[in-house]
Amino acid sequence: MPTANDYTTNGFAITADTVLLTVRNGQLSVLLVERGNDPYKGHWALPGGFVDLNEDLDDAARRELAEETGVSLEPSHLEQLCSYGTPGRDPRQRIVTVAYLAFVGVPTIPVAGDDASAARFFAIDDLNIAGSETGTGTALAFDHAQILADGVERARAKLEYSTLATAFVDETFTLGELRRVYEAVWGMPLHEANFRRKVLGTQGFVEPTGETAPTEGRPAQLYRKGAATTLHPPILRPTRDQPDE
Amino acid sequence: MPTANDYTTNGFAITADTVLLTVRNGQLSVLLVERGNDPYKGHWALPGGFVDLNEDLDDAARRELAEETGVSLEPSHLEQLCSYGTPGRDPRQRIVTVAYLAFVGVPTIPVAGDDASAARFFAIDDLNIAGSETGTGTALAFDHAQILADGVERARAKLEYSTLATAFVDETFTLGELRRVYEAVWGMPLHEANFRRKVLGTQGFVEPTGETAPTEGRPAQLYRKGAATTLHPPILRPTRDQPDE
DNA sequence: TTAATAGTGTCTATGAGACATTATGCA
DNA sequence: TGCATAATGTCTCATAGACACTATTAA
């Protein structure tokens, strides 16, 4: 098994890093690993690592995620985010990182790292990234704060026009659970009745199972993901009504 | 000046290719270069080439575009599209291509190639790419047909929620010209009166200059790009009303 | 009974699509 | 005058936001 040092040449190296998002305790959260080696030893970073010379990019992202965190992903649940290759972003050599984005529900995640010294979830609001108002002092390695910020914004946008939200809940779920996903990712409360009307009015978004689940109040109908992947019409974020200006 | 062969090692190489789109004669078109060397000698390809070891990715995209086609772009008019790195996509060695997307108006383009044997525009509908119905036999080099298809789809989507269309017209333009951009990119006729109402009703999209331009019929008001970059509300493509199914 | 959440009904404002009509240039 | 395009007005329908109200469970 190659280690990072095998790739330290005088040419380019490629890494594949993954922004794995989930919703835990009502908060949008990301899976990070603590780096066990320099550079940035002891800092938290996105799981990922060097792409092998005969390995496809997304295969590398899945392999590194599994090695460092124990999380195994279906190939379909991984989408490319962006690539980052500014000279100097890694002090060792010229490295171009292809970043991926993944969305999972909480119960599917057995976090246990092999290569990294630790792996755990952080609430986005507790990290210092662009687009997050609060944030204490957890400084991410490399330019991973920027990558994470780009991934969070992509996720927020995709909730509007895709069925992505169903990736964050169990196989069956209530509309309240689905709404709390939207609220956690967008960071704002939604109107319960209107949300229900929009979701049920969008063909193929969810379909009822006929069963109910207990809640604190009245039991809720259970739904499962429908056949649609894109939403017509989209479910838009509430008014960010100031034009650019 | 390094040539491609300088990069042929047993490691990774990075290329930066650009999908440069414009609207010519009412047709969405892309700038391609004819390859002067193997592999794919004589085939048409996206302009681009190898990234230097101490060069930023978007700098390389602009440099290669200028060298091969004579087109100089502002840095701001270039956005990253996606990266393509499947093993075997280039027969020489393992190459990861970072693809960029650019939008220009026709008059800004003095096409003249240095490195490539020829450079010219092709109407998207005349190429064999996904998402294009017709298409004669121009086979693109490498996986550039896929990259081009991804770029075209990105452009179509961005017209909906951004002021991108103003990048395809002159500094001042009529609403008819702007509408014909939308019609060319989306490949469908738009309702003239409703288009006008939506554009003028979107804060910051366009602002009147007070001057007029002659047309075949009644002279049209001239507008220039406004301060907005994103559109609230978006101008959505007409009904693709069949859900996924 | 109260708290809490699920679920329904309705009023209003807004924007989209469709269409009719007028305005203004040129051949 | 006829033609082509620009520009305006208006009708209808669908959807979003807001809000009131009912339903069903547990404590």
Side-chain angles (χ1 to χ4, degrees):
Chain A
M1 167 103 13
T3 70
N5 285 335
D6 293 330
Y7 297 89
T8 305
T9 71
N10 58 356
F12 283 93
I14 312 291
T15 61
D17 295 344
T18 298
V19 178
L20 187 141
L21 298 176
T22 193
V23 175
R24 303 169 71 240
N25 311 319
Q27 294 188 298
L28 181 63
S29 304
V30 62
L31 181 58
L32 298 179
V33 298
E34 189 174 15
R35 286 185 60 81
N37 297 307
D38 274 324
Y40 292 99
K41 180 173 180 176
H43 286 67
W44 292 88
L46 298 172
F50 289 91
V51 179
D52 287 335
L53 201 49
N54 58 354
E55 181 183 38
D56 210 345
L57 300 176
D58 50 351
D59 289 336
R62 276 199 305 283
R63 175 182 55 77
E64 289 283 352
L65 182 67
E67 287 178 7
E68 294 190 340
T69 72
V71 175
S72 291
L73 283 182
E74 300 290 319
S76 61
H77 291 156
L78 203 60
E79 68 174 72
Q80 198 183 117
L81 173 60
C82 202
S83 293
Y84 302 81
T86 302
R89 60 178 290 281
D90 189 302
R92 290 167 292 184
Q93 70 171 120
R94 181 69 188 276
I95 295 185
V96 173
T97 284
V98 182
Y100 283 84
L101 194 53
F103 311 100
V104 297
V106 164
T108 66
I109 308 176
V111 171
D114 283 359
D115 292 9
S117 56
R120 74 172 182 89
F121 282 96
F122 288 78
I124 296 295
D125 285 341
D126 292 341
L127 296 172
N128 272 324
I129 64 167
S132 176
E133 310 73 25
T134 67
T136 58
T138 308
L140 267 56
F142 309 107
D143 50 3
H144 286 191
Q146 180 63 51
I147 300 175
L148 175 54
D150 293 346
V152 168
E153 179 48 38
R154 172 84 66 93
R156 286 176 174 153
K158 284 202 74 166
L159 281 200
E160 294 190 315
Y161 59 87
S162 80
T163 61
L164 170 63
T166 57
F168 287 107
V169 292
D170 291 341
E171 191 191 336
T172 63
F173 51 87
T174 69
L175 292 187
E177 290 167 344
L178 192 67
R179 177 171 50 82
R180 282 185 285 276
V181 167
Y182 274 86
E183 292 176 333
V185 176
W186 285 350
M188 59 179 69
L190 295 183
H191 193 292
E192 197 270 332
N194 294 336
F195 178 81
R196 171 185 309 275
R197 176 158 43 96
K198 280 191 277 192
V199 170
L200 295 181
T202 302
Q203 289 295 324
F205 193 178
V206 300
E207 52 186 34
T209 67
E211 300 186 346
T212 60
T215 73
E216 274 190 65
R218 168 177 169 175
Q221 281 288 324
L222 279 171
Y223 296 84
R224 66 168 59 88
K225 181 174 173 22
T229 57
T230 58
L231 301 183
H232 307 295
I235 297 180
L236 298 176
R237 274 175 275 191
T239 43
R240 3 150 218 200
D241 249 348
Q242 37 280 8
D244 276 15
E245 181 52 27
Chain B
M1 168 101 18
T3 70
N5 284 335
D6 294 329
Y7 297 88
T8 304
T9 70
N10 57 357
F12 284 94
I14 313 291
T15 62
D17 295 345
T18 299
V19 178
L20 187 141
L21 298 176
T22 191
V23 176
R24 303 169 71 241
N25 311 320
Q27 293 188 300
L28 180 63
S29 303
V30 62
L31 182 58
L32 298 179
V33 298
E34 190 174 14
R35 287 185 58 83
N37 297 306
D38 274 323
Y40 291 100
K41 180 173 179 175
H43 285 68
W44 293 88
L46 298 172
F50 289 91
V51 178
D52 287 335
L53 202 49
N54 59 353
E55 181 182 38
D56 209 345
L57 300 175
D58 49 352
D59 290 336
R62 277 198 304 284
R63 174 181 56 76
E64 290 283 353
L65 182 67
E67 287 178 7
E68 294 190 340
T69 71
V71 175
S72 291
L73 282 183
E74 301 289 319
S76 61
H77 291 155
L78 205 60
E79 67 174 72
Q80 196 182 117
L81 174 59
C82 201
S83 294
Y84 302 82
T86 302
R89 59 178 289 279
D90 188 304
R92 291 168 290 184
Q93 68 170 123
R94 181 69 188 276
I95 294 184
V96 174
T97 284
V98 183
Y100 283 84
L101 194 53
F103 311 100
V104 298
V106 165
T108 66
I109 307 176
V111 170
D114 282 359
D115 291 10
S117 56
R120 73 171 183 90
F121 283 94
F122 289 78
I124 296 295
D125 285 340
D126 291 341
L127 295 172
N128 272 325
I129 64 167
S132 175
E133 308 72 26
T134 68
T136 58
T138 308
L140 267 55
F142 308 107
D143 50 3
H144 286 189
Q146 179 63 50
I147 299 176
L148 175 55
D150 293 346
V152 167
E153 179 48 37
R154 173 83 66 94
R156 286 176 175 154
K158 283 202 74 166
L159 281 200
E160 293 190 315
Y161 59 87
S162 80
T163 61
L164 169 64
T166 57
F168 287 107
V169 292
D170 292 341
E171 191 191 336
T172 64
F173 51 87
T174 69
L175 292 187
E177 291 168 344
L178 192 67
R179 178 171 49 83
R180 282 185 284 275
V181 167
Y182 275 86
E183 292 175 333
V185 176
W186 285 349
M188 58 180 71
L190 296 183
H191 194 292
E192 196 271 331
N194 294 337
F195 179 81
R196 171 184 309 275
R197 176 159 44 96
K198 281 192 274 192
V199 170
L200 296 181
T202 302
Q203 290 295 324
F205 193 0
V206 300
E207 52 185 33
T209 67
E211 300 185 345
T212 60
T215 74
E216 275 190 64
R218 168 177 170 176
Q221 280 288 324
L222 280 171
Y223 295 83
R224 65 168 60 87
K225 181 173 170 26
T229 57
T230 57
L231 301 183
H232 306 294
I235 297 180
L236 297 176
R237 274 174 274 191
T239 43
R240 5 152 217 198
D241 247 350
Q242 36 282 9
D244 277 15
E245 182 51 28

